């Protein structure tokens, strides 16, 4: 009988021991698969996601009852497409998990099993170590529920305030999906065919897609997807595309000029042009060994080009005056505007140094929220007295904050390092994630957007009072946390109660919310408070936009 030679160094075990090892291996594999599936299911439908979904679906249902099915025709196609994408991703992840499990179990060094039979000794592989390594699911590979807001916020705001832009904004949302630039562009162009048959409209929409993709590309590279994640980049790129392109229309004869929008558009265009000029100037300066000289040259170029371009681009409806001269005359012709401006400057000159001096006596969270309270106090009454002047000021402030962040981001001397030091002292964990300090830009956008779109103070109230009190109360007294969240139920109750009380005072004594009943205002505050407590999307963007949507839906 021919003999079978066992390779040298191979462990030989009997049949009973092998069966025991095989049983342990199968049991370990089963436990690992169950744990991974449990993890996967746990992150797929947690309670906060269910609560957010319920609120968003209820809001969509209310809008469907008011506006009918026509605005939703394209969104139904997108829902089918999105559903297919989600199912594909979930299936691929499930398959990948199973493959990883089998790979971990199968790549252990093998041993040999020795059995006797008619043909002599047979060779069988078994496991040397039956305990596989458990790999948790990477957070970066999970499906982010916040992607839903890239669809919800632009769609609802378009539906309620700019219905003519609803289709193109719906198409722009598709840029959020994973894939190459070419793949995302082809998908958007495919759905673009469903929007309109008019050639001019199609050309405009095609241009909007190109512009939106460009903004997204710049934001992702500047933020390195740390200061801003993919959801933030898409929301901001859609916002910029609307402000700078889609909402821009030629003014008809006799049509009143929209001064706040013109100021916002003109200053943003001047800012973008100035950064472009600075980039071109910086290219030949690469050879400059002296970094200080390079920094000063770029600082000088920007600080000169930005105001000059803004003074040239902004349209104030008066060709006889430059925008700067027009603004000076606009302020001088009204005692009310002079008082408002004097009050703002006085508060800022007195409070900013004091907050910086006594900042060490407060926690970081409290010192940050002081700015929220300050903005509420400085705007809530003046807006009722002269809304146009306040909106012009806010429109200019948005771009001014972007200019400040640009100087700080590049640390352009002589102010760049000073700005970085002072702004970093108020930075939270989100600002520390990447190169951009985004909090104060989020704040001004969240406050200004509802005022500019609909003369609504919901951004002022929700961020100036609700979010601030909720954060302070939640951190100091909160004990009951929302599931899988650092936010507390006590903070949510504080948000609901304070926003309702301040909104009620504004309604009764300042003339705000005349179109809302007290019960509807309470409903707006309650839904917004629950959403704030369960969402991880930045509150300064989500809550003002959601409250603005609800305010319009519940208008009597």
């Amino acid at each position: 009988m021919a003999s079978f030679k066992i390779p040298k160094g191979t462990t030989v075990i009997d049949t009973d021991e092998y069966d025991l090892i095989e049983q342990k291996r199968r049991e370990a594999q089963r436990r690992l698969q169950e744990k991974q599936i449990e993890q996967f299911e746990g992150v797929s439908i947690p309670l906060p996601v269910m609560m957010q979904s319920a609120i968003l679906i209820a809001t969509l249902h209310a809008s469907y009852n008011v506006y009918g099915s026509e605005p939703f025709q394209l969104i139904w196609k997108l829902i089918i497409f999105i559903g297919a994408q989600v199912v594909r991703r979930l299936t691929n992840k499930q398959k990948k998990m199973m493959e990883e499990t089998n790979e971990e179990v199968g790549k252990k060094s093998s041993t040999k099993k020795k059995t006797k039979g008619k043909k002599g000794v047979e060779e069988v592989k078994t496991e040397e170590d039956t305990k596989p390594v458990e790999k948790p699911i990477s957070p970066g590979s999970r499906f982010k529920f916040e992607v839903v807001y890239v669809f919800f916020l632009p769609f609802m705001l378009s539906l309620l305030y700019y219905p003519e832009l609803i289709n193109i904004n719906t198409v722009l949302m598709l840029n959020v999906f994973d894939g190459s630039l070419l793949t995302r562009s082809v998908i958007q162009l495919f759905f673009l065919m469903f929007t309109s048959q008019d050639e001019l409209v199609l050309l405009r929409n095609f241009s909007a897609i190109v512009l939106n993709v460009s903004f997204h590309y710049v934001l992702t590279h500047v933020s390195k997807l740390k200061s801003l994640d993919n959801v933030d980049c898409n929301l901001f790129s859609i916002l910029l595309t609307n402000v700078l392109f889609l909402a821009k229309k030629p003014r008809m004869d006799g049509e009143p000029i929209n001064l706040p929008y013109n100021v916002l558009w003109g200053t943003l265009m001047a800012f973008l042009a100035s950064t472009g000029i600075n980039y071109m100037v910086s290219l030949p300066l690469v050879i400059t060994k002296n970094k200080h000289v390079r920094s000063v040259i770029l600082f000088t170029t920007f600080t000169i080009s930005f105001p000059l371009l803004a003074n040239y681009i902004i349209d104030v409806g008066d060709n006889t005056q430059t925008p700067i001269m027009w603004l000076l005359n606009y302020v001088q012709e009204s005692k009310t505007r002079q008082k408002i401006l004097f009050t703002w400057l006085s508060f800022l000159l007195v409070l900013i140094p004091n907050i910086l001096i006594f900042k060490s006596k407060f926690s970081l969270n409290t010192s940050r929220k002081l700015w929220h309270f300050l903005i509420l106090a400085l705007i809530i009454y003046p807006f009722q007295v002269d809304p146009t002047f306040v909106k012009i000021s806010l429109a200019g402030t948005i771009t001014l904050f972007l200019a400040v962040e640009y100087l700080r981001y590049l640390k352009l001397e002589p102010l760049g390092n000073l700005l970085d030091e002072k702004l970093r002292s108020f930075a939270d964990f989100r600002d520390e994630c990447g190169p951009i300090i985004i909090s104060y830009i989020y704040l001004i956008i969240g406050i200004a957007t509802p005022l500019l779109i609909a003369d609504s103070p919901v951004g002022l109230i929700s961020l100036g009072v609700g979010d601030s009190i909720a954060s302070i109360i939640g951190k100091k007294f909160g004990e009951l946390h929302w599931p899988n969240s650092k936010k507390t139920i006590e903070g949510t109750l504080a948000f609901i109660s304070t926003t309702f009380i301040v909104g009620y005072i504004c309604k009764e004594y300042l003339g705000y919310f005349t179109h809302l009943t007290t019960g509807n205002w309470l409903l707006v505050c309650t839904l917004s408070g629950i959403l704030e407590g369960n969402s991880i999307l930045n509150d300064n963007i989500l809550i003002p936009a959601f409250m603005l949507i609800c305010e319009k839906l519940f208008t009597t």
Side-chain angles (χ1 to χ4, degrees), residues 65 85 341 346 364 369 417 481:
N65 289 338
Q85 294 296 312
L341 187 59
S346 300
L364 174 62
K369 300 309 177 184
N417 288 313
H481 289 263

Side-chain angles (χ1 to χ4, degrees), residues 100-158:
E100 288 178 353
T101 301
N102 294 331
E103 181 182 349
E104 283 298 326
V105 174
K107 72 179 182 180
K108 304 295 180 180
S109 60
S110 63
T111 62
K112 306 290 180 178
K113 166 193 166 183
K114 178 183 176 183
T115 60
K116 291 184 178 181
K118 293 182 179 179
K119 296 183 179 181
V121 181
E122 295 180 358
E123 178 185 12
V124 182
K125 290 186 178 180
T126 184
E127 292 298 318
E128 195 174 55
D129 183 6
T130 60
K131 186 177 181 180
V133 179
E134 295 183 2
K135 283 189 175 181
I137 303 170
S138 170
S141 66
R142 293 170 181 163
F143 177 76
K144 292 181 63 175
F145 179 80
E146 286 64 41
V147 170
V148 171
Y149 290 109
V150 178
F151 293 86
F152 178 81
L153 294 179
F155 173 78
M156 289 300 297
L157 289 173
S158 299

Side-chain angles (χ1 to χ4, degrees), residues 308-421:
L308 288 179
L309 287 172
N311 193 45
Y312 175 77
I313 295 174
I314 296 173
D315 177 18
V316 294
D318 186 354
N319 296 327
T320 63
Q321 300 182 86
T322 63
I324 291 178
M325 293 304 302
W326 174 88
L327 181 62
L328 292 175
N329 293 331
Y330 183 72
V331 174
Q332 289 177 354
E333 70 186 19
S334 170
K335 293 292 184 182
T336 300
R337 292 172 197 143
Q338 294 175 30
K339 290 179 181 178
I340 292 173
L341 187 59
F342 177 78
T343 302
W344 286 349
L345 293 176
S346 300
F347 267 84
L348 293 177
L349 290 174
V350 172
L351 290 178
I352 288 179
N354 280 278
I355 291 176
L356 293 174
I357 292 171
F358 296 105
K359 177 183 178 296
S360 59
K361 298 183 180 295
F362 303 100
S363 66
L364 174 62
N365 184 59
T366 302
S367 61
R368 284 166 53 85
K369 300 309 177 184
L370 287 175
W371 297 107
H372 293 228
F373 294 128
L374 177 62
I375 293 176
L376 172 70
L378 292 179
I379 295 179
I380 193 73
Y381 177 71
F383 187 81
Q384 279 297 95
V385 178
D386 194 332
T388 301
F389 178 62
V390 174
K391 288 195 288 185
I392 289 174
S393 303
L394 288 172
T397 302
I398 291 174
T399 312
L400 180 62
F401 278 20
L402 292 175
V404 168
E405 181 57 21
Y406 175 77
L407 297 176
R408 186 215 63 81
Y409 176 81
L410 295 179
K411 295 182 175 59
L412 298 182
E413 296 181 4
L415 295 180
N417 288 313
L418 177 64
L419 291 172
D420 184 64
E421 178 188 351

